[in-house]
């Protein structure tokens, strides 16, 4: 027992010594005049090195305890019969350490390291904890800011290019994570109200030219601006690629009247409206996938939550016709009964533009005009309102250009009248506004990928969108557990016969005799 304790103390001697030095410094007379901030800074800096040495001591102990008494067969069917000590670096959150482990070798075959599998070491230099911190920081702010934050708050040193690659790797299991949740039935057990909502929208992201979709890239190459320093009226930069944002959530019914909605929209009201909040909300976005694939994923998520179609399915959209067409195709494909609702705020936007055809902007008359017609639309009379707007423009003998906003409003109301049955929606307690997806567009996309001067590649933008989505959906911790398990599978289990990891014999109490066919190479002892 005493010998075992001595060996342990030897492995952690450097950490113990450094900790003792820190205690002495904190006890010294000159440190007694420090402010608490200076003391915290000292402990943070010196303490990180103590933690690094503790990790190094543990890795040394694991390496010393590893035995060479196991048969190691790779997935290629080759038995590794030679053993060498191999060493590799690992950039941990405390700083760089070195891991020594047994490498099982055979001519013409890659070496295998069972202790790597037991530790679940990544293939690259940086630990999975460093990868996670990189992901968290890069999802929050710029890559440059992430490099600086990591350097300031940890012992890890990660250059910008490597950090970007770590972020991409960190997001690699995003789709598999949510697919696993659907397959295992975990999605169906989420807290749920009686209404299941699917909502989507698009948001442009400034991209590098080589990352633009082909049509946009060609338009950018052919653009010949009239002015050198700014765009003229009607000109576009053709530098954005559209990301598709989606959300699926459940919510309780909230029955209201048309007058209630008009009252809620009155900014002079001070009383807060107590409305049900979305439950089990998932939001995500993709700049890589086409819109129909993101919508398909939204329906898959919804089906995972309500496989028996027991809930009231509501689709909230802004009137985008291709999106509505995709929704209708999925409704037919899955034999669903969808209630498609066009966002009320988009309708209101058209009404205000039409009002300024008949009344000056900012006047009470324009506000009254909008309120009267909004009430009628909320009562289910959108077609009548559209006809009245056209007649008003005609009776005033307005020219085509002057009356265009009024005609646009009428066209919008008539085109989408099947999805403007607000009287029925309100009576059934359904949501009629796309606030959730509007917020997701702002938070997921604009607040991070819309930073001034930022121009993205597809891989980097997609990775950041996924990581921000995991945070917004409250799934990051569960995802990271899943991601580490997947790393173990592909980096380690996949290398061994039948996916079985050999026991590396780290427990010294186990049998350590070596099979006859293993040959120890000189220099094994460490």
């Amino acid at each position: 027992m005493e010998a075992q304790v001595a060996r342990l103390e030897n492995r952690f001697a450097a950490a113990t010594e450094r900790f003792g030095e820190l205690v002495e410094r904190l006890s010294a007379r000159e440190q007694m005049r420090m402010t608490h901030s200076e003391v915290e800074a000292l402990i943070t800096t010196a303490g990180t090195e103590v933690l690094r040495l503790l990790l190094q001591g543990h890795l040394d102990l694991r390496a010393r305890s590893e035995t060479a008494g196991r048969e190691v067969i790779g997935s290629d069917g080759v038995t590794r019969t030679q053993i060498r000590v191999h060493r590799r670096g690992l950039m941990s959150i405390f700083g760089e350490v070195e891991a020594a482990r047994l490498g099982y070798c055979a001519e013409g075959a890659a070496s295998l390291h069972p202790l790597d599998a037991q530790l679940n070491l990544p293939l690259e230099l940086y630990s999975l904890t460093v990868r996670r911190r990189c992901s968290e920081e890069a999802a929050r702010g710029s890559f440059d800011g992430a490099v600086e934050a990591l350097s300031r708050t940890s012992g890890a040193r990660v250059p910008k290019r490597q950090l970007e690659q770590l972020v991409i790797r960190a997001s690699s299991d995003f789709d598999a994570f949510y697919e696993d949740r659907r397959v295992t039935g975990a999605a169906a057990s989420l807290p749920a109200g009686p209404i299941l909502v699917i909502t989507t929208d698009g948001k442009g992201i400034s991209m590098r030219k080589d990352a633009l979709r082909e049509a946009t890239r060609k338009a950018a190459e052919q653009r010949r601006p009239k002015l050198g320093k700014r765009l003229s009226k009607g000109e576009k930069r053709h530098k954005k690629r559209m990301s598709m944002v989606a959300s699926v959530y459940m919510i309780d019914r909230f029955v209201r009247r048309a007058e209630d909605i008009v009252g809620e929209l009155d900014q002079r009201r001070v009383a807060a409206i107590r409305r049900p909040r979305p439950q089990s909300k998932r939001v995500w976005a993709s700049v890589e996938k086409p819109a129909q694939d993101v919508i398909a994923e939204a329906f898959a998520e919804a089906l995972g939550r309500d496989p028996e179609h027991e809930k009231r399915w509501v689709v909230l959209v802004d009137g985008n016709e291709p999106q509505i067409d995709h929704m209708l195709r999925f409704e037919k494909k899955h034999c669903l009964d969808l209630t498609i609702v066009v966002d009320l705020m988009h309708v209101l936007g058209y009404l205000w533009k039409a009002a300024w055809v008949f009344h000056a902007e900012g006047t009470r008359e324009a506000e009254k005009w909008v309120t009267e017609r909004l009430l009628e639309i909320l009562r289910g009379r959108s077609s009548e309102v559209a006809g009245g707007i056209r007649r008003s423009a005609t009776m005033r003998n307005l020219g085509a250009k002057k009356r265009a906003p009024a005609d646009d409003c009428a066209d919008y109301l008539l085109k989408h009248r099947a999805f403007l049955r607000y009287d029925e929606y309100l009576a059934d307690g359904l949501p009629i506004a796309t606030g959730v997806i509007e917020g997701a567009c702002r938070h997921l996309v604009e607040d991070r990928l819309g930073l001034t001067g930022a121009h993205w590649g597809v891989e980097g933008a997609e990775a950041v969108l996924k990581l921000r989505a995991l945070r917004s959906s409250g799934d990051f911790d569960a995802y990271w557990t899943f991601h580490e398990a997947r790393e173990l599978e592909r980096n380690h289990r996949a290398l061994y016969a039948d996916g079985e990891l050999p026991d590396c014999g780290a427990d010294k109490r186990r049998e350590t005799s070596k099979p006859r066919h293993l040959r120890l190479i000189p220099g094994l002892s460490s």
Side-chain angles (χ1 to χ4, degrees):
M1 181 66 180
E2 292 179 359
Q4 183 180 7
V5 171
R7 286 196 300 272
L8 288 173
E9 290 178 347
N10 183 55
R11 296 298 169 186
F12 294 99
T16 303
E17 181 181 354
R18 189 59 61 91
F19 176 73
E21 292 173 359
L22 177 57
V23 171
E24 287 183 9
R25 289 184 66 185
L26 293 171
S27 305
R29 184 186 301 274
E30 57 268 24
Q31 315 305 338
M32 295 301 177
R33 292 189 292 271
M34 281 184 168
T35 66
H36 82 280
S37 298
E38 292 171 330
V39 174
E40 286 182 354
L42 171 61
I43 293 174
T44 298
T45 303
T48 299
E49 175 61 11
V50 173
L51 297 175
R52 188 193 72 81
L53 291 171
L54 283 171
L55 177 58
Q56 183 65 69
H58 179 81
L59 293 175
D60 291 345
L61 186 64
R62 295 282 283 271
R64 187 69 181 88
S65 301
E66 187 180 13
T67 60
R70 299 296 180 267
E71 184 178 73
V72 175
I73 305 174
S75 57
D76 53 9
V78 176
T79 301
R80 274 67 171 170
T81 59
Q82 299 178 1
I83 308 173
R84 292 185 176 88
V85 174
H86 293 163
R87 300 178 185 277
R88 59 156 291 173
L90 180 70
M91 179 62 77
S92 77
I93 204 69
F94 312 121
E96 188 164 4
V97 292
E98 183 182 72
R101 66 270 198 261
L102 299 182
Y104 290 76
C105 317
E107 186 176 352
S111 298
L112 297 177
H113 305 89
L115 187 55
D116 281 8
Q118 189 178 77
L119 290 165
N120 196 14
L121 296 180
L123 300 182
E124 70 271 352
L125 171 67
Y126 305 98
S127 74
L128 292 177
T129 304
V130 170
R131 185 186 297 183
R132 175 169 180 158
R133 282 289 302 277
C134 288
S135 302
E136 291 170 336
E137 294 296 340
R140 186 179 296 116
S142 69
F143 288 125
D144 288 323
V147 170
E148 193 275 331
L150 202 66
S151 176
R152 187 182 66 252
T153 61
S154 77
R157 298 295 178 264
V158 186
K160 180 179 176 180
R161 183 178 294 276
Q162 280 70 30
L163 185 140
E164 292 177 5
Q165 291 302 314
L166 290 175
V167 168
I168 292 170
R169 290 193 190 102
S171 67
S172 60
D173 293 312
F174 180 88
D175 292 332
F177 169 71
Y178 284 106
E179 177 63 23
D180 180 78
R181 194 168 72 170
R182 289 192 290 268
V183 170
T184 59
S189 63
L190 293 170
I195 301 172
L196 189 153
V197 180
I198 300 173
T199 179
T200 59
D201 200 0
K203 187 67 177 177
I205 299 173
S206 294
M207 308 293 285
R208 298 196 302 264
K209 186 175 289 188
D210 62 333
L212 294 170
R213 289 192 168 93
E214 185 176 358
T216 310
R217 179 177 53 77
K218 287 182 177 179
E221 291 172 349
Q222 295 170 2
R223 186 171 69 91
R224 298 291 183 268
K226 299 175 183 177
L227 302 177
K229 296 185 178 180
R230 61 168 296 168
L231 296 178
S232 299
K233 186 176 181 180
E235 288 186 325
K236 294 183 179 180
R237 295 187 186 278
H238 301 293
K239 66 174 185 177
K240 290 191 173 183
R241 177 170 172 145
M242 192 63 66
S243 66
M244 192 65 179
V245 187
S247 180
V248 176
Y249 60 93
M250 278 83 84
I251 197 166
D252 292 323
R253 296 183 184 277
F254 186 38
V255 177
R256 290 165 293 171
R257 302 171 302 150
E259 292 77 9
D260 297 328
I261 301 299
V262 172
E264 290 177 21
L265 294 173
D266 189 343
Q267 297 182 5
R268 292 165 296 189
R269 287 174 60 105
V270 295
I273 305 297
R274 296 189 64 180
R275 62 181 74 249
R277 298 185 63 81
Q279 304 163 16
S280 305
K281 180 177 67 176
R282 181 193 165 196
V283 296
W284 72 101
S286 177
V287 70
E288 182 178 40
K289 299 176 182 177
Q292 60 267 29
D293 288 358
V294 177
I295 293 174
E297 188 177 349
F299 274 86
E301 176 72 20
L303 287 166
R305 298 178 181 214
D306 183 29
E308 302 300 325
H309 308 172
E310 296 174 343
K311 299 184 182 300
R312 179 74 178 270
W313 285 50
V314 174
V315 172
L316 278 168
V317 293
D318 63 3
N320 181 281
E321 291 185 68
Q323 289 184 35
I324 293 175
D325 290 341
H326 290 315
M327 301 294 184
L328 293 173
R329 281 197 289 271
F330 280 105
E331 177 184 37
K332 183 178 181 180
K333 177 180 178 181
H334 296 289
C335 301
L336 298 168
D337 183 14
L338 296 182
T339 300
I340 299 179
V341 180
V342 166
D343 171 46
L344 179 66
M345 303 311 294
H346 280 76
V347 173
L348 189 57
Y350 277 93
L351 280 177
W352 274 109
K353 290 178 180 178
W356 299 330
V357 171
F358 308 110
H359 304 283
E361 293 187 35
T363 61
R364 293 286 186 184
E365 290 79 11
E367 182 179 50
K368 181 182 177 183
W369 188 93
V370 169
T371 300
E372 290 173 350
R373 281 146 189 83
L374 178 61
L375 267 172
E376 291 303 301
I377 291 171
L378 289 167
R379 290 166 179 161
R381 300 169 185 164
S382 58
S383 296
E384 290 87 339
V385 170
I389 292 173
R390 286 197 194 282
R391 286 193 296 274
S392 294
T394 301
M395 291 173 63
R396 294 172 188 243
N397 294 317
L398 299 177
K401 185 176 181 180
K402 172 67 176 175
R403 65 177 287 164
D407 288 331
D408 289 344
C409 180
D411 290 343
Y412 188 86
L413 294 175
L414 292 171
K415 183 187 300 182
H416 299 302
R417 59 182 177 273
F419 313 124
L420 302 178
R421 301 193 298 271
Y422 294 119
D423 54 331
E424 299 175 17
Y425 307 152
L426 294 175
D428 289 345
L430 307 184
I432 60 172
T434 58
V436 168
I437 199 66
E438 296 288 343
C441 286
R442 183 177 61 255
H443 171 68
L444 284 186
V445 184
E446 186 63 25
D447 288 354
R448 173 63 179 94
L449 283 83
L451 294 176
T452 303
H455 291 83
W456 294 84
V458 174
E459 266 195 318
E462 188 77 0
V464 170
L465 286 174
K466 287 175 178 177
L467 295 171
R468 287 179 69 82
L470 288 163
R471 281 290 181 196
S472 295
S473 303
D475 291 330
F476 192 89
D477 289 338
Y479 169 78
W480 201 261
T481 299
F482 180 84
H483 176 60
E484 290 205 3
R486 294 271 292 192
E487 284 286 277
L488 178 64
E489 290 294 327
R490 57 177 161 252
N491 294 340
H492 301 294
R493 288 192 186 278
L495 305 180
Y496 294 89
D498 301 322
E500 292 292 329
L501 295 176
D503 185 352
C504 57
D507 188 340
K508 292 292 288 184
R509 292 171 296 181
R510 295 176 183 170
E511 177 60 45
T512 60
S513 60
K514 299 183 289 296
R516 295 178 183 176
H517 65 274
L518 289 179
R519 181 164 58 88
L520 188 62
I521 303 300
L524 174 62
S525 58
S526 58

Short mmCIF file of all heavy atoms in Angstrom, two decimals, residues 157-187:
data_model
loop_
_atom_site.label_atom_id
_atom_site.label_comp_id
_atom_site.label_asym_id
_atom_site.label_seq_id
_atom_site.Cartn_x
_atom_site.Cartn_y
_atom_site.Cartn_z
N ARG A 157 -4.31 27.55 -26.22
CA ARG A 157 -3.91 28.49 -27.26
C ARG A 157 -4.34 27.90 -28.59
O ARG A 157 -3.82 26.86 -29.04
CB ARG A 157 -2.39 28.71 -27.24
CG ARG A 157 -1.89 29.34 -25.94
CD ARG A 157 -2.44 30.75 -25.75
NE ARG A 157 -2.00 31.33 -24.48
CZ ARG A 157 -2.72 31.30 -23.37
NH1 ARG A 157 -3.91 30.70 -23.37
NH2 ARG A 157 -2.28 31.86 -22.27
N VAL A 158 -5.29 28.57 -29.25
CA VAL A 158 -5.85 28.06 -30.50
C VAL A 158 -5.82 29.17 -31.54
O VAL A 158 -6.52 30.18 -31.39
CB VAL A 158 -7.30 27.56 -30.32
CG1 VAL A 158 -7.80 26.91 -31.61
CG2 VAL A 158 -7.41 26.60 -29.15
N PRO A 159 -5.03 29.05 -32.62
CA PRO A 159 -5.05 30.05 -33.69
C PRO A 159 -6.42 30.11 -34.36
O PRO A 159 -7.22 29.16 -34.30
CB PRO A 159 -3.97 29.54 -34.66
CG PRO A 159 -3.12 28.62 -33.85
CD PRO A 159 -4.03 27.99 -32.84
N LYS A 160 -6.68 31.21 -35.04
CA LYS A 160 -8.00 31.46 -35.62
C LYS A 160 -8.40 30.38 -36.62
O LYS A 160 -9.54 29.88 -36.60
CB LYS A 160 -8.02 32.83 -36.28
CG LYS A 160 -9.36 33.19 -36.91
CD LYS A 160 -9.31 34.57 -37.53
CE LYS A 160 -10.62 34.91 -38.25
NZ LYS A 160 -10.57 36.26 -38.86
N ARG A 161 -7.52 30.01 -37.53
CA ARG A 161 -7.88 29.02 -38.55
C ARG A 161 -8.23 27.68 -37.90
O ARG A 161 -9.20 27.03 -38.30
CB ARG A 161 -6.73 28.84 -39.54
CG ARG A 161 -7.05 27.87 -40.69
CD ARG A 161 -5.89 27.78 -41.65
NE ARG A 161 -5.66 29.03 -42.33
CZ ARG A 161 -6.31 29.42 -43.42
NH1 ARG A 161 -7.24 28.63 -43.94
NH2 ARG A 161 -6.02 30.56 -44.00
N GLN A 162 -7.45 27.27 -36.90
CA GLN A 162 -7.75 26.01 -36.22
C GLN A 162 -9.06 26.11 -35.44
O GLN A 162 -9.83 25.15 -35.38
CB GLN A 162 -6.60 25.64 -35.27
CG GLN A 162 -5.40 25.01 -35.95
CD GLN A 162 -4.62 26.00 -36.81
OE1 GLN A 162 -4.61 27.19 -36.50
NE2 GLN A 162 -3.99 25.53 -37.87
N LEU A 163 -9.33 27.28 -34.87
CA LEU A 163 -10.58 27.45 -34.15
C LEU A 163 -11.78 27.29 -35.08
O LEU A 163 -12.77 26.66 -34.74
CB LEU A 163 -10.60 28.83 -33.47
CG LEU A 163 -11.80 29.11 -32.57
CD1 LEU A 163 -11.36 29.84 -31.31
CD2 LEU A 163 -12.85 29.94 -33.30
N GLU A 164 -11.69 27.87 -36.27
CA GLU A 164 -12.78 27.74 -37.24
C GLU A 164 -13.01 26.27 -37.60
O GLU A 164 -14.17 25.82 -37.72
CB GLU A 164 -12.46 28.54 -38.49
CG GLU A 164 -12.47 30.04 -38.27
CD GLU A 164 -12.09 30.81 -39.52
OE1 GLU A 164 -11.92 30.17 -40.57
OE2 GLU A 164 -11.96 32.04 -39.44
N GLN A 165 -11.94 25.50 -37.76
CA GLN A 165 -12.08 24.09 -38.08
C GLN A 165 -12.70 23.32 -36.91
O GLN A 165 -13.51 22.41 -37.12
CB GLN A 165 -10.71 23.49 -38.44
CG GLN A 165 -10.15 24.00 -39.76
CD GLN A 165 -11.08 23.72 -40.93
OE1 GLN A 165 -11.60 22.60 -41.07
NE2 GLN A 165 -11.30 24.72 -41.76
N LEU A 166 -12.33 23.68 -35.69
CA LEU A 166 -12.92 23.02 -34.53
C LEU A 166 -14.43 23.29 -34.44
O LEU A 166 -15.21 22.41 -34.07
CB LEU A 166 -12.23 23.50 -33.24
CG LEU A 166 -10.79 23.02 -33.02
CD1 LEU A 166 -10.21 23.67 -31.78
CD2 LEU A 166 -10.73 21.50 -32.90
N VAL A 167 -14.82 24.49 -34.78
CA VAL A 167 -16.24 24.85 -34.76
C VAL A 167 -17.02 24.02 -35.78
O VAL A 167 -18.12 23.53 -35.51
CB VAL A 167 -16.42 26.36 -35.02
CG1 VAL A 167 -17.87 26.71 -35.29
CG2 VAL A 167 -15.89 27.16 -33.83
N ILE A 168 -16.43 23.85 -36.96
CA ILE A 168 -17.08 23.03 -37.99
C ILE A 168 -17.22 21.58 -37.53
O ILE A 168 -18.28 20.96 -37.68
CB ILE A 168 -16.30 23.12 -39.32
CG1 ILE A 168 -16.42 24.53 -39.90
CG2 ILE A 168 -16.78 22.08 -40.32
CD1 ILE A 168 -15.50 24.80 -41.08
N ARG A 169 -16.14 21.03 -36.91
CA ARG A 169 -16.21 19.66 -36.41
C ARG A 169 -17.25 19.54 -35.29
O ARG A 169 -17.96 18.54 -35.19
CB ARG A 169 -14.85 19.22 -35.89
CG ARG A 169 -13.81 19.00 -36.97
CD ARG A 169 -12.60 18.27 -36.43
NE ARG A 169 -11.52 18.27 -37.41
CZ ARG A 169 -10.46 19.07 -37.37
NH1 ARG A 169 -10.34 19.94 -36.38
NH2 ARG A 169 -9.54 19.02 -38.30
N ALA A 170 -17.33 20.56 -34.47
CA ALA A 170 -18.25 20.52 -33.33
C ALA A 170 -19.70 20.42 -33.77
O ALA A 170 -20.54 19.86 -33.06
CB ALA A 170 -18.06 21.76 -32.46
N SER A 171 -20.02 20.95 -34.94
CA SER A 171 -21.41 20.95 -35.41
C SER A 171 -21.75 19.74 -36.27
O SER A 171 -22.88 19.63 -36.76
CB SER A 171 -21.66 22.23 -36.22
OG SER A 171 -20.92 22.21 -37.44
N SER A 172 -20.81 18.83 -36.45
CA SER A 172 -20.97 17.77 -37.46
C SER A 172 -22.08 16.78 -37.15
O SER A 172 -22.55 16.09 -38.05
CB SER A 172 -19.64 17.01 -37.63
OG SER A 172 -19.25 16.41 -36.40
N ASP A 173 -22.52 16.68 -35.89
CA ASP A 173 -23.54 15.68 -35.53
C ASP A 173 -24.90 16.30 -35.30
O ASP A 173 -25.79 15.68 -34.71
CB ASP A 173 -23.09 14.93 -34.27
CG ASP A 173 -21.87 14.07 -34.53
OD1 ASP A 173 -21.86 13.33 -35.53
OD2 ASP A 173 -20.90 14.15 -33.75
N PHE A 174 -25.09 17.53 -35.76
CA PHE A 174 -26.34 18.26 -35.53
C PHE A 174 -27.55 17.49 -36.07
O PHE A 174 -28.51 17.21 -35.35
CB PHE A 174 -26.24 19.63 -36.18
CG PHE A 174 -27.46 20.50 -36.03
CD1 PHE A 174 -27.61 21.31 -34.93
CD2 PHE A 174 -28.45 20.52 -37.01
CE1 PHE A 174 -28.73 22.13 -34.79
CE2 PHE A 174 -29.56 21.32 -36.88
CZ PHE A 174 -29.71 22.14 -35.77
N ASP A 175 -27.50 17.13 -37.34
CA ASP A 175 -28.64 16.42 -37.95
C ASP A 175 -28.85 15.05 -37.31
O ASP A 175 -29.99 14.64 -37.06
CB ASP A 175 -28.45 16.27 -39.46
CG ASP A 175 -28.50 17.61 -40.18
OD1 ASP A 175 -29.19 18.53 -39.69
OD2 ASP A 175 -27.86 17.74 -41.24
N ALA A 176 -27.75 14.34 -37.05
CA ALA A 176 -27.85 13.01 -36.45
C ALA A 176 -28.46 13.08 -35.05
O ALA A 176 -29.20 12.18 -34.64
CB ALA A 176 -26.48 12.35 -36.39
N PHE A 177 -28.15 14.13 -34.31
CA PHE A 177 -28.68 14.29 -32.95
C PHE A 177 -30.20 14.37 -32.97
O PHE A 177 -30.90 13.67 -32.21
CB PHE A 177 -28.08 15.54 -32.31
CG PHE A 177 -28.73 15.95 -31.02
CD1 PHE A 177 -28.54 15.20 -29.86
CD2 PHE A 177 -29.53 17.07 -30.97
CE1 PHE A 177 -29.14 15.58 -28.66
CE2 PHE A 177 -30.14 17.46 -29.77
CZ PHE A 177 -29.94 16.71 -28.63
N TYR A 178 -30.74 15.22 -33.84
CA TYR A 178 -32.19 15.37 -33.87
C TYR A 178 -32.88 14.17 -34.50
O TYR A 178 -33.99 13.81 -34.12
CB TYR A 178 -32.56 16.67 -34.59
CG TYR A 178 -32.32 17.88 -33.71
CD1 TYR A 178 -31.25 18.73 -33.95
CD2 TYR A 178 -33.13 18.14 -32.62
CE1 TYR A 178 -31.01 19.83 -33.13
CE2 TYR A 178 -32.91 19.23 -31.80
CZ TYR A 178 -31.85 20.07 -32.05
OH TYR A 178 -31.60 21.15 -31.23
N GLU A 179 -32.21 13.53 -35.45
CA GLU A 179 -32.76 12.29 -36.01
C GLU A 179 -32.83 11.21 -34.94
O GLU A 179 -33.82 10.47 -34.84
CB GLU A 179 -31.90 11.84 -37.19
CG GLU A 179 -32.34 10.52 -37.82
CD GLU A 179 -33.71 10.58 -38.45
OE1 GLU A 179 -34.18 11.70 -38.79
OE2 GLU A 179 -34.35 9.52 -38.57
N ASP A 180 -31.78 11.11 -34.13
CA ASP A 180 -31.77 10.12 -33.04
C ASP A 180 -32.90 10.41 -32.05
O ASP A 180 -33.55 9.48 -31.55
CB ASP A 180 -30.42 10.16 -32.34
CG ASP A 180 -30.32 9.18 -31.19
OD1 ASP A 180 -30.14 7.97 -31.47
OD2 ASP A 180 -30.44 9.59 -30.02
N ARG A 181 -33.14 11.67 -31.78
CA ARG A 181 -34.21 12.01 -30.84
C ARG A 181 -35.57 11.63 -31.38
O ARG A 181 -36.46 11.21 -30.63
CB ARG A 181 -34.16 13.52 -30.53
CG ARG A 181 -34.99 13.90 -29.33
CD ARG A 181 -34.72 15.31 -28.86
NE ARG A 181 -35.27 16.31 -29.74
CZ ARG A 181 -35.33 17.61 -29.45
NH1 ARG A 181 -34.81 18.04 -28.31
NH2 ARG A 181 -35.84 18.47 -30.30
N ARG A 182 -35.73 11.74 -32.70
CA ARG A 182 -37.00 11.33 -33.29
C ARG A 182 -37.15 9.82 -33.30
O ARG A 182 -38.20 9.28 -32.97
CB ARG A 182 -37.11 11.88 -34.72
CG ARG A 182 -37.30 13.38 -34.79
CD ARG A 182 -37.68 13.84 -36.18
NE ARG A 182 -36.60 13.72 -37.13
CZ ARG A 182 -35.73 14.68 -37.41
NH1 ARG A 182 -35.81 15.84 -36.77
NH2 ARG A 182 -34.80 14.51 -38.31
N VAL A 183 -36.07 9.13 -33.68
CA VAL A 183 -36.12 7.67 -33.80
C VAL A 183 -36.36 7.01 -32.45
O VAL A 183 -37.11 6.04 -32.33
CB VAL A 183 -34.81 7.14 -34.44
CG1 VAL A 183 -34.75 5.62 -34.35
CG2 VAL A 183 -34.73 7.57 -35.90
N THR A 184 -35.72 7.54 -31.42
CA THR A 184 -35.85 6.94 -30.09
C THR A 184 -37.15 7.31 -29.40
O THR A 184 -37.47 6.79 -28.32
CB THR A 184 -34.67 7.38 -29.19
OG1 THR A 184 -34.65 8.81 -29.10
CG2 THR A 184 -33.36 6.88 -29.76
N GLY A 185 -37.92 8.21 -29.99
CA GLY A 185 -39.19 8.61 -29.39
C GLY A 185 -39.06 9.70 -28.35
O GLY A 185 -40.05 10.09 -27.74
N ALA A 186 -37.84 10.23 -28.18
CA ALA A 186 -37.64 11.28 -27.17
C ALA A 186 -38.41 12.55 -27.53
O ALA A 186 -38.89 13.26 -26.64
CB ALA A 186 -36.16 11.59 -27.01
N ALA A 187 -38.55 12.83 -28.83
CA ALA A 187 -39.25 14.04 -29.25
C ALA A 187 -40.72 13.99 -28.85
O ALA A 187 -41.33 15.00 -28.50
CB ALA A 187 -39.12 14.23 -30.76
#
